Amino acid sequence: MALKWYTVVVDSIDPQAQARWWAEVLDWVSVYDTPEEAVIVPREALEGPERAASLEEWMRRGQGLVFVSVPERRSGKNRLHLDLAPHTSQDRDAEIQRLLDLGATRADVGQGEEVSWTVLTDPEGNEFCVLSSRDQ
């Protein structure tokens, strides 16, 4: 049996705004949008045939992000967060500045100054990290 990690679901006050923001951050595309739910996926997930011909092809397709409407704001520290990493050919500091310009905010979750990652929050306060540049 094969199970695939298909999506990460994020509770949101404004799913459409969150989906637009994350799509801009990741250069992904929206594939579903209703008042209660918005879904974004990597552009590559839309390349090729609509249906994967084999289990192996299906397993290789990237995961999506689903933003669902909830009435309450996030409270407390995230139990799950995303780690983003720039490629070694990219300017990590410029990528962080781009995220800040898009509306991210720096966050202190007790990480200290000696760490190799930067903690930010999205417009609804969900933490995520920008890791050091890497090529694998």
Side-chain angles (χ1 to χ4, degrees):
M1 177 190 277
L3 292 176
K4 176 182 175 165
W5 166 29
Y6 198 69
T7 60
V8 172
V9 179
V10 181
D11 291 349
S12 307
I13 296 296
D14 186 342
Q16 290 70 35
Q18 283 290 90
R20 282 190 305 273
W21 192 84
W22 279 101
E24 178 73 19
V25 165
L26 299 170
D27 192 27
W28 286 13
V29 293
S30 174
V31 294
Y32 185 77
D33 190 358
T34 69
E36 294 81 30
E37 180 179 25
V39 180
I40 62 171
V41 299
R43 291 180 186 281
E44 299 78 35
L46 301 179
E47 295 175 358
E50 183 176 319
R51 298 192 184 278
S54 69
L55 174 61
E56 291 79 24
E57 289 173 356
W58 184 71
M59 293 295 282
R60 283 194 301 266
R61 288 200 177 166
Q63 295 74 25
L65 286 173
V66 179
F67 300 91
V68 296
S69 181
V70 296
E72 69 279 348
R73 295 207 170 272
R74 184 187 70 83
S75 64
K77 187 177 182 305
N78 289 17
R79 298 286 307 257
L80 174 76
H81 70 265
L82 301 179
D83 283 345
L84 308 179
H87 187 263
T88 53
S89 66
Q90 293 176 286
D91 180 340
R92 179 180 179 275
D93 292 337
E95 284 299 309
I96 291 171
Q97 187 58 54
R98 181 179 74 88
L99 296 171
L100 294 169
D101 292 345
L102 288 172
T105 305
R106 291 185 184 273
D108 182 353
V109 295
Q111 68 268 27
E113 293 186 25
E114 69 285 347
V115 299
S116 62
W117 62 87
T118 300
V119 182
L120 301 173
T121 63
D122 70 15
E124 287 197 7
N126 300 299
E127 293 115 1
F128 65 96
C129 294
V130 178
L131 305 177
S132 58
S133 298
R134 49 197 69 199
D135 60 8
Q136 52 181 324

